[in-house]
Amino acid sequence: MRFLSSATLNAYRQETFHTLPANRIRTLEEAVNLSISAVLSFSGPFKG
Amino acid sequence: MILPSLWTAVAGDRPVADQHDDPGHITWGWKDQLLGKKVWYYARILCRRNTIISLRLLPCFYALSPNYGDPEQDYLDQYQNGTLTLESKLVYEALLREGPLDTISLRKAARLSSPESTSRFNRALDTLQMELKILPVGVAQAGAWRYAFIYDLVHRHFPELIEQSRPISENQARYEILVNYFESIGAASFSEIQRIFRWGKSELQGALQQLVRDNHLLPEVELQNQKEPVYALNKLLETREKEAF
């Protein structure tokens, strides 16, 4: 069985979720671009 | 189970703030501003939660919905089959008959204005959104809060959607949605994926197996601190192995 560390996954999600201060979304245009290929929830991360 | 969210992308990874002047609340303004503009698709879709879907992926979601290309007949078939409630039928017919309506007017037109009908009306709104039959297309200054969504029928607001989704098979749709989902979240277990998309077990298994065959995903990956194995993006594991050298 292959192994994936939480650190690797969290680092990946910080990039794709734009949660790092450096890559946060600041404008409506950026928000629209973020949604181009994504399935996004509107408010906070949610439990299914 | 997690999805990327507009709130965290703007405000950081913290709960939605109660304070009205929190800068993160600009996301609500953006959401309202873009209703009906056909920039993205916003409605209650996944897990009855408000979801933003790119227009590129929208035909895939529509291909998986119980809409078969005849919007004025499909809902009647569903109602007769017992898969659509009376309230959902009434709300849908009100929009079909009257055109776009704000929530207050829609309740009246659907004859669901009584206080006892509140939860059944709200449930109908949710169900119709999850089935991609209706969506909010604007905001009206109506009701006690002077704020009410205006709803329209999906096939009227996006008339091209039926044709766009027609050539997409359900397998293709699931595959495409999962490619985008995994690009966002990196890894997820079978039960996490099932909870969010609510697809049948064998259909989901088929789509995941295809993603594994195409080298997008690796199955049976052990994720630190998690009991259930996950499917993970191949590139995530490859990166880690390279780093280990």
Side-chain angles (χ1 to χ4, degrees):
Chain A
M1 185 180 266
R2 308 286 286 269
F3 178 79
L4 176 62
S5 74
S6 327
T8 302
L9 184 58
N10 289 341
Y12 181 79
R13 287 180 179 171
Q14 281 177 336
E15 286 284 329
T16 57
F17 288 22
H18 293 256
T19 49
L20 292 171
N23 71 345
R24 292 260 177 84
I25 297 300
R26 288 176 179 79
T27 65
L28 177 56
E29 192 179 28
E30 287 173 352
V32 170
N33 287 336
L34 177 64
S35 80
I36 293 298
S37 62
V39 182
L40 288 169
S41 56
F42 175 62
S43 55
F46 60 87
K47 300 278 179 193
Chain B
M1 179 193 343
I2 287 176
L3 276 179
S5 98
L6 189 57
W7 167 266
T8 55
V10 170
D13 195 5
R14 59 188 173 96
V16 175
D18 289 333
Q19 293 80 10
H20 288 294
D21 56 353
D22 189 289
H25 288 317
I26 195 169
T27 53
W28 268 257
W30 290 346
K31 178 261 294 172
D32 287 346
Q33 201 178 322
L34 292 184
L35 286 176
K37 299 287 194 301
K38 301 186 182 180
V39 170
W40 58 37
Y41 188 97
Y42 170 87
R44 283 192 194 270
I45 305 279
L46 300 173
C47 304
R48 289 188 183 270
R49 300 292 296 265
N50 293 320
T51 313
I52 294 169
I53 294 171
S54 72
L55 296 185
R56 191 179 64 74
L57 268 185
L58 182 58
C60 293
F61 278 89
Y62 199 77
L64 293 171
S65 71
N67 303 302
Y68 302 104
D70 188 355
E72 301 198 8
Q73 182 59 44
D74 290 343
Y75 82 98
L76 287 172
D77 294 341
Q78 276 187 271
Y79 179 66
Q80 277 154 16
N81 296 338
T83 55
L84 195 75
T85 63
L86 174 63
E87 292 78 15
S88 296
K89 176 176 172 282
L90 291 172
V91 169
Y92 189 85
E93 285 177 335
L95 290 171
L96 202 55
R97 193 174 59 239
E98 313 264 341
L101 291 171
D102 67 67
T103 317
I104 316 299
S105 310
L106 180 55
R107 274 189 79 165
K108 280 183 195 153
R111 299 183 181 177
L112 293 166
S113 293
S114 71
E116 310 86 73
S117 303
T118 302
S119 65
R120 286 182 294 135
F121 172 73
N122 289 333
R123 194 158 187 86
L125 285 183
D126 286 359
T127 303
L128 290 168
Q129 288 180 77
M130 289 171 71
E131 293 193 357
L132 281 87
K133 285 184 167 57
I134 71 168
L135 82 166
V137 296
V139 173
Q141 292 192 339
W145 298 93
R146 313 296 297 156
Y147 179 99
F149 273 158
I150 299 166
Y151 288 93
D152 196 4
L153 299 172
V154 170
H155 73 271
R156 200 160 51 202
H157 193 68
F158 288 103
E160 66 288 353
L161 190 52
I162 293 173
E163 282 309 312
Q164 285 173 344
S165 66
R166 206 182 293 280
I168 303 172
S169 71
E170 292 193 3
N171 286 342
Q172 286 173 311
R174 275 187 281 268
Y175 185 94
E176 193 62 28
I177 290 168
L178 285 178
V179 165
N180 284 273
Y181 171 70
F182 273 97
E183 280 297 316
S184 287
I185 62 144
S189 69
F190 187 88
S191 57
E192 284 174 327
I193 308 164
Q194 204 171 29
R195 271 201 302 276
I196 200 160
F197 293 110
R198 313 277 168 110
W199 298 333
K201 192 176 173 184
S202 61
E203 287 82 5
L204 177 55
Q205 272 169 341
L208 287 167
Q209 279 163 7
Q210 189 59 50
L211 282 159
V212 169
R213 281 195 293 272
D214 292 348
N215 286 322
H216 278 296
L217 298 181
L218 278 172
E220 297 290 318
V221 174
E222 183 185 348
L223 177 61
Q224 194 178 4
N225 303 325
Q226 185 169 311
K227 277 186 186 168
E228 191 182 352
V230 295
Y231 289 83
L233 281 177
N234 215 333
K235 64 182 180 186
L236 266 184
L237 291 153
E238 285 171 356
T239 304
R240 187 174 178 276
E241 281 168 4
K242 280 175 198 158
E243 282 168 359
F245 281 104

